[in-house]
């Protein structure tokens, strides 16, 4: 909580919502053999491939907002599971391109359906996926995600004694 606020801070609420969402997605996707992080990778890759792109791991990491090293680890696990293929980029031998396999397409389509149903449930209090309140909420989240953050100095007194 912040010094002037009697309730939880926006940062704490965002953190709680993100954790609630991650746990719900992990549980719902477990029967498909996916975690939330793996789903983020395959669903993003699915969308990019539908747009005609065969992204590198770096490009996909930037798109998802995850560290490239973590995406590499996820990609290796998904490759072992037969869901994606990793190949060297013929234009840049240092880069690895990713593509869904046939099995990966099938599992990803199932996973997208599962997550869409969960998303509808999560957003029901705002009126559902297509409601004006949901669109406004999405716009606000997008604004916050686009804003650059400069971490405070380690001994910055303004951050001591507060929660996220």
């Amino acid at each position: 909580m912040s010094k002037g606020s009697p309730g939880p801070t926006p940062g704490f609420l965002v953190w709680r919502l993100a954790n609630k969402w991650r746990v719900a997605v992990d549980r719902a996707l477990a029967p498909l053999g996916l975690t939330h992080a793996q789903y983020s990778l395959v669903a993003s890759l699915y969308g990019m491939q539908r747009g005609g792109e065969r992204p590198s791991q770096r490009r996909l990491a930037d798109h998802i907002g995850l560290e490239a090293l973590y995406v590499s680890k996820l990609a290796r696990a998904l490759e072992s599971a037969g869901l994606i293929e990793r190949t060297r980029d013929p234009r840049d031998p240092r880069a690895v391109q990713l593509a869904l396999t046939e099995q990966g397409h099938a599992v990803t389509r199932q996973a997208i359906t599962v997550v869409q149903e969960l998303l509808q449930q999560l957003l029901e209090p705002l009126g559902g996926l297509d409601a004006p309140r949901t669109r406004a909420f999405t716009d606000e989240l997008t604004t916050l995600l686009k804003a650059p953050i400069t971490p405070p100095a380690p001994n910055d007194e303004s951050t001591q004694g507060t929660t996220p």
Side-chain angles (χ1 to χ4, degrees):
M1 292 209 230
S2 69
K3 295 175 186 174
S5 173
T9 65
F12 179 73
L13 293 173
V14 167
W15 178 75
R16 289 276 318 270
L17 183 59
N19 280 319
K20 177 182 180 178
W21 180 245
R22 183 192 51 76
V23 168
V25 172
D26 277 343
R27 287 180 181 157
L29 293 178
L32 296 174
L34 293 174
T35 65
H36 186 251
Q38 290 171 330
Y39 169 77
S40 295
L41 189 148
V42 296
S44 294
L45 184 55
Y46 180 81
M48 294 170 97
Q49 280 187 228
R50 287 184 53 153
E53 191 174 347
R54 185 173 176 139
S56 68
Q57 284 184 174
R58 166 64 67 187
R59 166 85 176 93
L60 189 59
D62 291 345
H63 177 80
I64 299 171
L66 294 175
E67 293 293 325
L69 189 61
Y70 187 49
V71 168
S72 177
K73 178 182 172 186
L74 291 171
R76 282 192 304 274
L78 291 164
E79 181 181 40
S80 293
L83 300 181
I84 68 168
E85 59 184 18
R86 301 166 68 235
T87 57
R88 290 282 171 204
D89 185 334
R91 297 163 302 194
D92 181 357
R94 298 167 299 165
V96 175
Q97 290 181 317
L98 303 176
L100 290 168
T101 62
E102 190 174 317
Q103 179 187 1
H105 274 279
V107 169
T108 301
R109 283 192 298 273
Q110 288 178 288
I112 288 170
T113 299
V114 167
V115 171
Q116 285 297 313
E117 290 171 3
L118 268 179
L119 190 56
Q120 182 65 34
Q121 183 181 348
L122 175 73
L123 295 171
E124 198 58 45
L126 299 180
L129 193 55
D130 298 320
R133 285 181 66 196
T134 299
R135 284 191 294 278
F137 178 61
T138 301
D139 290 344
E140 297 291 350
L141 290 172
T142 301
T143 298
L144 293 173
L145 285 169
K146 287 181 179 179
I149 295 178
T150 304
N155 292 325
D156 187 344
E157 293 178 17
S158 68
T159 62
Q160 294 181 3
T162 61
T163 58

